[in-house]
C-alpha cells in the first residue's frame, strides 16, 4: 500500500477502505464478533498514491479472559487473480463472437448444483424459449426425438463417468412438429479430486447437411460424409483455438487436426517476418513425438517449397520431396529425408504469419483435399496466433481487433471452401440443366431434378453473398454514373416494393462518375430497397437521392474509413419502423437478421457492406425506432469519362461452333461437364487435367487451337502461367478463365482486369456457351 508502519497505526478503517465498501467491512467484523462463521471476503484498500488494491481478507477473533474484544485480519493482494478473471471474461466474449458467426449454441451443466445455462442460440436450436424451463435438470424441455432419448442419456452418463469426451448426433422435435438434426460435442471439467463438476459443450444444426446427404447419397455419399467430418473437425478446432492463450497451445491443436486429416509422418510450423524476409522454426513433430524446436536464429527465406509458400501465399504440394530438394538447404527431423510434402501458408486479414508443412515417408502422399483441409485449419490457427500476440502486446486494443478478426474469419472460411464448393455446384447445376432438357414434361422424376436445381441455385446465391461480404468476390469495375444505374432499375424497384409505398428519386444532374461494378451496385440498391419495403408493412415512402460531396480529414476521422476527397453519395431513406442502437451495431455482421426464421439469411446487408468496401467506399446508417432508416453510401469520384458496357446481344441459336477448344481443368467432374456442353454444341474439345499435359497437347496437335479454356487455380501450374506458355506455342489463341476460387490470389493474377475474359463458377450450360462464343467472336 506504500504506507509506513507508523502511518498505518495512526489510520482508521475509513482512511484505508473506500466509502462504498466501509459498511460491508464493518458488517463482516460484527458478524465475526457475533460468532458467525465468516469466510474470506474481498474488498479494496486505498494505497498511499490514491490507487486501489484488490485484497482478500481472512479474520480471526482476539480474546481477553475468554471474552472477544477485537478482530485481527490478514489481507492478501489478489491483483493477479483479478487480472486473470478479467482475461477469462474477455476470452469468453471472444468465444461467444466466434460461436455466433458459426451458428453454434453453447451449454453449461453445473453437475454440483444440477443447474443448466444456455445461450440464446441453444433456445433456437431446440425450438424452446427461455421461460420453458427453470434451469434445473428436472425441468429441461429438450424436445428429444423418442428414438434418441435413451441413447443420448446413456452417452452423457458415459462421458461424465468415463475418460472420453462427449460427441453425439440426435434429433429434436420442435413444438410445431418440425424435426431438426443436431450435433453436439462436450467436455467434462473435474475438480482436484477428479470428480465431475461441470459438463460444457456446443451444439450446432446439421439438418441441411443431413438433407443433402439423403438427396445425393447414391451419387456422392462418401464425398459429403468426408466434407461433413471436415466441417466437424474445423468446428472443434475453432472451439479449441478460441481458448488458446499461448502459441504452444495453438501449434498442438493444429498438429492434432493435421494428424487426423492427412497421412503425415512429420509436421513443421514456421513463423514469418515479412519485414526482415526471415522465418523461424516454431514447432516440430515426427512419428508421434514432439521435438524441441532447434535454437536456430531466424533464417532468410530461400527457394524451398516452405519458403515459397510463406513468401507468395501459395499452396505447394511436392510429390517427390527428395528430388525437389537436391542442392537446397532444408530442415528435416528424422533419420531419412521425407519423400513428399504439403505446405500451406497461415494467413490472417491478408497477412501471412507463417507456414504449415506436413511430410510423409511415401511418394505423392498428399492431394488437393488434404490441402483444402489444412488451409482451412491454418487460417484458423493464424487468427489464434494473432489473438495471442495481441493479448501479449496490447490488451487495450484487443476488443476492436477481435471484431475485425471475426469479420475476416468468415471471409477466410468462404474463400477457403469456395473452390471445392463452387466446383460441386457447377456439376450439380450443370448436370441438372442438361438432364431437364432431355426429360419429357410429364416425366415423374422431373420435379425431383427441378428441386435439386433450385437448391443448387440457392446455394450458389448464398456463396456469392458470403464472398461479397468478405470482399473476395471477383468484380468487373467500369467507369459509370450512379444516376444511370438508378434510372435503369427504377421500374424494377417499383415492381418489388408494394403499391402502398411511394418511390421518389432526387438525382443530382452533375453527379461525378465512379469506378465500380454496375451489376453489384444494382445488388446494393435492390437489397436496401427490399429491406425498406419490409420495414414499411403499412406503406410509406422510399427516397433515393444522389449528390456530390467532399469529405475532409475531420469528417472522415469520426465517421468513415476512406481517404479524403470528392465522393458521389447515394442516400436511401425509408419511413419505416426503424432500428434501435443495439441493432444498428450488428446489421452488417453476417447471419445477423431481425426477420422471422425462414424469411432471411442475414447476408443481405453483409453483402452490401462488402461490395461498397471492395469498391473503395464506405457506408453509414442512421435510424430511430418509429422514425425510419437512412443509408448513406459514399463512393470515390474518378476523373474519367463513362465507359460503355460491352452488352452481349440475345443471339439465340447462334452459339454453336466448330472451333477447337483446349479445356484444362483439374476437377474431373467439372471437366466432364464442360466437355459434354461444348461437344453438344458442335465444338471440338481437347481436354487436359493439368497444365503440363495441356502444353504437351499444344506441341503435338497439328491443327489450329482456337480457344484455351482453363481453371485459374490448379496444382503445380496455374491458369495464368499456363496461358503464357500456350500463347508462345499458339500466338493467335484466345483465352477464357474459369474459377470458383475467389481469394486475393485471383486478383493477383490479373483476373480483375476488364480485358481478361473470366467466367465465375458455378455457371450454367447457356452461360458457358454464350461466354465461349463471345470470346471467340471478339476482335
Amino acid at each position: 500500500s506504500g504506507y509506513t508502519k507508523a502511518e498505518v497505526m495512526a489510520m482508521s478503517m475509513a482512511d484505508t477502505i473506500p466509502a462504498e465498501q466501509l459498511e460491508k467491512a464493518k458488517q463482516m467484523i460484527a458478524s465475526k464478533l457475533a460468532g458467525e462463521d465468516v469466510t474470506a471476503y474481498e474488498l479494496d484498500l486505498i494505497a498511499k498514491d490514491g490507487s486501489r488494491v484488490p485484497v482478500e481478507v481472512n479474520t480471526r477473533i482476539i480474546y481477553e479472559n475468554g471474552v472477544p474484544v477485537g478482530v485481527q485480519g490478514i489481507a492478501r493482494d489478489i491483483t493477479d487473480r483479478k487480472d486473470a478473471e478479467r482475461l477469462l471474461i474477455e476470452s469468453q466474449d471472444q468465444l461467444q463472437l466466434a460461436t455466433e458467426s458459426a451458428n453454434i449454441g453453447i451449454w453449461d451443466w453445473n453437475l454440483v448444483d444440477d443447474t443448466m445455462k444456455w445461450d440464446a442460440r441453444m433456445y433456437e436450436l431446440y425450438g424452446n424459449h427461455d421461460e420453458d424451463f427453470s434451469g434445473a435438470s428436472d425441468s429441461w424441455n429438450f424436445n428429444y426425438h423418442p428414438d434418441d432419448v435413451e441413447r443420448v442419456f446413456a452417452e452423457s452418463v458415459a462421458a461424465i463417468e468415463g475418460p472420453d469426451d462427449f460427441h453425439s448426433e440426435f434429433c429434436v422435435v420442435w413444438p410445431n412438429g418440425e424435426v431438426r438434426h443436431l450435433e453436439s460435442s462436450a467436455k467434462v471439467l473435474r475438480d482436484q479430486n477428479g470428480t465431475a463438476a461441470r459438463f460444457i459443450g456446443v451444439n450446432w444444426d446439421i439438418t441441411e447437411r443431413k438433407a443433402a446427404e439423403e438427396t445425393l447419397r447414391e451419387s456422392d455419399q462418401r464425398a459429403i460424409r468426408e466434407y461433413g467430418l471436415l466441417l466437424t473437425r474445423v468446428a472443434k478446432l475453432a472451439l479449441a483455438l478460441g481458448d488458446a492463450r499461448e502459441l504452444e497451445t495453438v501449434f498442438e491443436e493444429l498438429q492434432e487436426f493435421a494428424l487426423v486429416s492427412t497421412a503425415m509422418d512429420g509436421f513443421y510450423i514456421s513463423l514469418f517476418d515479412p519485414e526482415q524476409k526471415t522465418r523461424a522454426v516454431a514447432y516440430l513433430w515426427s512419428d508421434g513425438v514432439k521435438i524441441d524446436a532447434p535454437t536456430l536464429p531466424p533464417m532468410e527465406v530461400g527457394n524451398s517449397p516452405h519458403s515459397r509458400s510463406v513468401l507468395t501465399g501459395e499452396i505447394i504440394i511436392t510429390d517427390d520431396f527428395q528430388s525437389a530438394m537436391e542442392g537446397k538447404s532444408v530442415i528435416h527431423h528424422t533419420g531419412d529425408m521425407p519423400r513428399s510434402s504439403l505446405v500451406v501458408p497461415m494467413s490472417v486479414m491478408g497477412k501471412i504469419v507463417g507456414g504449415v508443412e506436413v511430410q510423409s515417408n511415401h511418394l505423392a502422399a498428399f492431394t488437393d483435399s488434404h490441402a483444402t483441409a489444412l488451409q482451412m485449419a491454418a487460417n484458423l490457427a493464424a487468427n489464434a496466433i494473432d489473438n495471442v500476440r495481441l493479448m501479449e502486446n496490447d490488451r487495450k486494443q484487443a476488443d476492436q481487433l477481435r471484431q475485425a478478426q471475426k469479420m475476416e474469419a468468415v471471409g477466410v472460411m468462404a474463400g477457403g471452401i469456395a473452390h471445392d464448393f463452387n466446383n460441386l455446384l457447377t456439376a450439380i447445376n450443370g448436370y441438372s440443366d442438361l438432364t431437364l432438357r432431355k426429360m419429357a414434361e410429364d416425366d415423374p422424376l422431373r420435379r425431383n431434378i427441378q428441386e435439386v436445381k433450385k437448391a443448387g441455385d440457392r446455394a450458389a446465391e448464398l456463396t456469392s453473398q458470403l464472398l461479397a461480404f468478405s470482399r473476395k468476390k471477383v468484380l468487373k469495375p467500369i467507369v459509370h454514373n450512379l444516376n444511370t444505374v438508378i434510372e435503369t432499375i427504377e421500374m424494377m424497384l417499383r415492381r418489388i416494393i408494394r403499391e402502398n409505398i411511394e418511390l421518389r428519386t432526387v438525382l443530382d444532374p452533375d453527379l461525378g462518375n465512379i469506378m465500380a461494378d454496375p451489376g453489384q451496385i444494382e445488388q446494393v440498391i435492390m437489397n436496401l430497397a427490399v429491406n425498406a419495403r419490409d420495414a414499411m408493412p403499412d406503406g410509406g415512402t422510399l427516397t433515393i437521392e444522389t449528390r456530390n460531396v467532399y469529405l475532409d480529414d475531420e469528417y472522415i476521422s469520426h465517421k468513415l474509413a476512406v481517404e479524403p476527397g470528392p465522393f458521389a453519395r447515394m442516400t436511401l431513406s425509408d419511413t419505416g419502423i426503424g432500428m434501435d442502437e443495439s441493432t444498428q451495431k450488428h446489421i452488417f455482421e453476417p447471419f445477423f437478421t431481425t426477420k422471422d426464421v425462414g424469411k432471411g439469411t442475414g447476408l443481405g446487408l453483409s453483402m452490401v457492406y462488402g461490395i461498397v468496401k471492395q469498391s473503395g467506399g464506405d457506408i453509414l446508417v442512421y435510424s430511430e425506432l418509429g422514425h425510419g432508416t437512412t443509408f448513406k453510401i459514399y463512393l470515390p469520384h474518378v476523373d474519367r469519362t463513362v465507359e460503355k458496357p460491352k452488352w452481349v446481344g440475345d443471339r439465340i441459336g447462334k452459339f454453336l461452333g466448330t472451333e477447337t477448344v483446349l479445356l484444362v481443368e483439374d476437377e474431373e467432374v467439372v471437366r466432364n461437364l464442360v466437355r459434354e456442353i461444348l461437344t453438344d454444341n458442335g465444338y471440338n474439345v481437347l481436354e487436359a487435367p493439368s497444365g503440363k499435359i495441356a502444353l504437351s497437347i499444344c506441341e503435338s496437335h497439328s491443327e489450329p487451337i482456337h480457344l484455351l479454356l482453363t481453371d485459374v487455380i490448379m496444382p503445380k501450374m496455374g491458369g495464368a502461367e499456363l496461358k503464357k506458355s500456350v500463347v508462345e506455342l499458339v500466338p493467335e489463341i484466345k483465352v477464357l478463365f474459369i474459377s470458383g476460387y475467389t481469394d486475393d490470389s485471383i486478383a493477383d493474377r490479373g483476373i480483375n482486369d476488364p480485358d481478361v475474359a473470366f467466367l465465375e463458377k458455378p455457371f450454367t450450360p447457356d452461360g458457358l456457351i454464350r461466354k465461349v462464343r463471345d470470346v471467340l467472336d471478339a476482335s
Side-chain angles (χ1 to χ4, degrees):
S1 63
Y3 294 107
T4 65
K5 182 176 180 181
E7 290 173 330
V8 172
M9 296 298 293
M11 296 170 67
S12 67
M13 289 177 60
D15 296 325
T16 59
I17 299 177
E20 71 274 12
Q21 299 181 14
L22 187 59
E23 184 62 29
K24 172 185 176 181
K26 290 179 178 179
Q27 290 178 356
M28 298 303 291
I29 292 174
S31 298
K32 191 73 174 182
L33 288 172
E36 297 181 15
D37 185 13
V38 179
T39 59
Y41 58 94
E42 296 179 7
L43 50 74
D44 293 340
L45 293 182
I46 303 175
K48 189 173 184 179
D49 60 4
S51 64
R52 293 192 177 192
V53 180
V55 296
E56 181 181 79
V57 179
N58 285 276
T59 58
R60 71 180 184 87
I61 300 176
I62 301 174
Y63 294 90
E64 286 186 5
N65 299 322
V67 178
V69 296
V71 176
Q72 183 182 58
I74 300 176
R76 181 169 61 89
D77 189 334
I78 58 171
T79 301
D80 290 342
R81 191 182 78 191
K82 287 294 185 180
D83 288 343
E85 291 173 352
R86 176 176 54 81
L87 289 177
L88 178 59
I89 293 173
E90 292 177 356
S91 168
Q92 292 171 339
D93 290 343
Q94 178 188 17
L95 179 59
Q96 181 66 26
L97 290 173
T99 55
E100 287 176 359
S101 69
N103 276 335
I104 293 174
I106 301 178
W107 51 270
D108 186 346
W109 182 3
N110 188 321
L111 300 174
V112 177
D113 58 17
D114 197 20
T115 57
M116 172 75 80
K117 293 181 180 179
W118 280 5
D119 70 356
R121 177 60 180 153
M122 283 291 294
Y123 295 110
E124 298 174 11
L125 291 175
Y126 283 85
N128 286 358
H129 301 285
D130 55 3
E131 65 269 14
D132 289 343
F133 66 90
S134 65
S137 64
D138 58 359
S139 64
W140 300 339
N141 181 11
F142 286 107
N143 300 341
Y144 279 123
H145 192 283
D147 294 343
D148 293 335
V149 173
E150 293 185 3
R151 175 179 57 83
V152 176
F153 179 77
E155 291 171 348
S156 301
V157 172
I160 294 172
E161 295 180 350
D164 297 329
D165 293 338
F166 174 80
H167 183 81
S168 183
E169 292 183 13
F170 49 87
C171 293
V172 295
V173 183
W174 285 8
N176 63 3
E178 181 179 355
V179 177
R180 305 295 294 182
H181 293 263
L182 303 184
E183 189 168 354
S184 180
S185 287
K187 290 180 177 291
V188 176
L189 303 184
R190 303 181 185 276
D191 59 22
Q192 60 185 3
N193 298 321
T195 302
R198 292 171 66 190
F199 198 16
I200 302 176
V202 295
N203 289 16
W204 60 96
D205 193 316
I206 59 171
T207 304
E208 284 70 24
R209 192 186 84 196
K210 287 292 186 181
E213 289 175 354
E214 185 64 28
T215 302
L216 299 175
R217 185 175 303 277
E218 294 182 1
S219 62
D220 211 0
Q221 185 178 19
R222 187 170 65 89
I224 291 178
R225 184 172 62 252
E226 291 176 353
Y227 188 69
L229 291 174
L230 172 59
L231 289 181
T232 300
R233 292 198 298 270
V234 170
K236 289 183 178 180
L237 178 64
L239 184 62
L241 294 180
D243 266 340
R245 289 293 171 269
E246 297 176 352
L247 290 179
E248 193 72 12
T249 302
V250 177
F251 300 155
E252 290 173 354
E253 293 291 347
L254 185 56
Q255 178 256 314
E256 288 295 327
F257 177 93
L259 186 63
V260 298
S261 301
T262 66
M264 71 178 192
D265 298 303
F267 181 76
Y268 166 37
I269 297 177
S270 74
L271 296 179
F272 177 54
D273 185 342
E275 295 183 0
Q276 302 296 326
K277 291 294 189 295
T278 60
R279 59 185 180 90
V281 177
Y283 189 87
L284 291 174
W285 177 94
S286 178
D287 295 327
V289 178
K290 175 188 168 186
I291 301 173
D292 290 336
T295 56
L296 297 175
M299 66 191 80
E300 292 186 1
V301 175
N303 194 37
S304 68
H306 199 111
S307 292
R308 294 202 310 274
S309 180
V310 299
L311 197 59
T312 65
E314 297 179 2
I315 297 173
I316 299 177
I317 298 176
T318 306
D319 290 334
D320 189 344
F321 188 87
Q322 295 180 8
S323 298
M325 290 300 101
E326 288 183 1
K328 296 183 177 67
S329 175
V330 60
I331 293 178
H332 61 93
H333 40 81
T334 60
D336 298 320
M337 187 180 292
R339 304 293 298 280
S340 58
S341 72
L342 162 64
V343 189
V344 300
M346 293 191 295
S347 177
V348 54
M349 300 178 68
K351 178 183 66 176
I352 297 175
V353 301
V356 180
E357 180 172 352
V358 292
Q359 302 170 342
S360 173
N361 295 331
H362 302 279
L363 289 171
F366 304 108
T367 66
D368 289 344
S369 296
H370 295 136
T372 299
L374 193 60
Q375 183 67 85
M376 294 168 67
N379 284 336
L380 286 174
N383 279 277
I385 290 172
D386 209 40
N387 279 340
V388 171
R389 287 174 168 175
L390 286 171
M391 287 186 289
E392 292 174 347
N393 297 330
D394 197 350
R395 297 186 183 278
K396 291 183 179 180
Q397 298 179 6
D399 288 340
Q400 297 175 356
L401 291 176
R402 191 177 298 115
Q403 177 69 7
Q405 289 160 355
K406 184 189 73 172
M407 304 287 273
E408 180 67 15
V410 177
V412 170
M413 181 68 76
I417 68 174
H419 181 262
D420 290 340
F421 192 51
N422 280 331
N423 276 335
L424 291 173
L425 287 176
T426 299
I428 292 171
N429 293 351
Y431 279 117
S432 296
D433 277 338
L434 294 180
T435 303
L436 287 170
R437 293 179 184 181
K438 299 176 182 180
M439 295 180 73
E441 290 293 333
D442 59 351
D443 193 309
L445 294 179
R446 184 177 183 85
R447 182 178 179 276
N448 291 351
I449 300 299
Q450 289 173 332
E451 290 300 317
V452 172
K453 179 62 167 59
K454 186 187 299 183
D457 291 339
R458 179 59 176 153
E461 179 185 346
L462 291 176
T463 301
S464 178
Q465 290 175 326
L466 273 175
L467 296 174
F469 158 73
S470 64
R471 286 173 264 167
K472 298 177 183 293
K473 186 172 180 62
V474 177
L475 303 182
K476 290 294 182 181
I478 63 171
V479 178
H480 67 285
N481 195 282
L482 276 173
N483 288 347
T484 303
V485 176
I486 296 170
E487 291 167 350
T488 300
I489 66 171
E490 184 172 351
M491 290 302 298
M492 184 184 303
L493 290 176
R494 293 186 186 278
R495 289 195 296 269
I496 291 176
I497 62 178
R498 291 181 297 274
E499 294 182 355
N500 62 349
I501 297 177
E502 179 185 0
L503 175 62
R504 297 177 182 174
T505 57
V506 184
L507 308 182
D508 185 346
D510 298 320
L511 189 68
N513 297 329
I514 64 170
M515 170 72 82
D517 187 325
Q520 295 301 312
I521 298 301
E522 287 183 6
Q523 286 295 314
V524 169
I525 300 172
M526 297 287 285
N527 271 281
L528 293 177
V530 169
N531 281 353
R533 177 199 66 190
D534 295 341
M536 297 183 287
D538 299 324
T541 302
L542 171 61
T543 303
I544 303 178
E545 178 186 1
T546 61
R547 64 175 297 183
N548 295 313
V549 296
Y550 185 89
L551 303 179
D552 56 22
D553 289 312
E554 182 178 358
Y555 185 83
I556 288 174
S557 65
H558 293 90
K559 298 287 185 179
L560 300 165
V562 293
E563 295 295 327
F567 284 77
R569 186 181 72 191
M570 177 172 61
T571 304
L572 290 89
S573 301
D574 66 62
T575 57
I577 58 177
M579 297 177 286
D580 58 26
E581 185 177 349
S582 175
T583 301
Q584 293 178 54
K585 291 180 180 179
H586 300 284
I587 57 173
F588 295 122
E589 295 180 6
F591 306 113
F592 177 81
T593 180
T594 58
K595 298 179 180 179
D596 294 336
V597 176
K599 294 185 178 181
T601 62
L603 290 174
L605 288 178
S606 299
M607 182 181 69
V608 167
Y609 176 85
I611 291 172
V612 172
K613 296 295 287 186
Q614 192 172 0
S615 301
D618 209 342
I619 183 171
L620 294 178
V621 59
Y622 303 87
S623 186
E624 291 184 20
L625 286 175
H627 296 281
T629 300
T630 295
F631 287 91
K632 293 184 178 182
I633 296 170
Y634 298 83
L635 296 169
H637 281 171
V638 292
D639 190 16
R640 290 167 54 184
T641 57
V642 172
E643 302 176 25
K644 293 183 178 180
K646 301 175 182 178
W647 298 107
V648 179
D650 188 8
R651 306 191 301 275
I652 297 177
K654 296 184 179 180
F655 299 110
L656 302 178
T658 59
E659 291 89 345
T660 298
V661 179
L662 175 57
L663 168 62
V664 189
E665 167 63 65
D666 61 308
E667 192 70 32
E668 182 179 5
V669 65
V670 178
R671 188 171 68 251
N672 292 340
L673 172 66
V674 174
R675 181 193 66 233
E676 183 174 345
I677 295 171
L678 292 175
T679 54
D680 284 351
N681 286 272
Y683 293 94
N684 179 36
V685 180
L686 307 172
E687 59 177 302
S690 68
K692 182 178 180 180
I693 295 176
L695 291 177
S696 298
I697 292 175
C698 287
E699 293 172 348
S700 60
H701 192 73
S702 58
E703 299 297 325
I705 302 177
H706 303 91
L707 176 68
L708 169 63
L709 177 58
T710 178
D711 195 1
V712 177
I713 305 296
M714 296 183 293
K716 298 183 180 178
M717 181 183 295
E721 183 182 354
L722 174 62
K723 172 189 173 183
K724 293 180 182 179
S725 301
V726 170
V727 169
E728 292 179 359
L729 298 172
V730 189
E732 299 301 321
I733 198 169
K734 295 182 178 180
V735 181
L736 171 59
F737 289 109
I738 59 175
S739 182
Y741 193 88
T742 53
D743 205 348
D744 297 336
S745 55
I746 289 211
D748 294 342
R749 288 163 170 80
I751 303 305
N752 274 338
D753 189 333
D755 294 328
V756 173
F758 176 75
L759 183 62
E760 185 175 354
K761 298 176 184 176
F763 47 76
T764 64
D766 284 344
L768 173 64
I769 292 301
R770 285 174 180 267
K771 193 67 176 182
V772 167
R773 192 68 261 162
D774 288 341
V775 175
L776 288 171
D777 292 343
S779 60

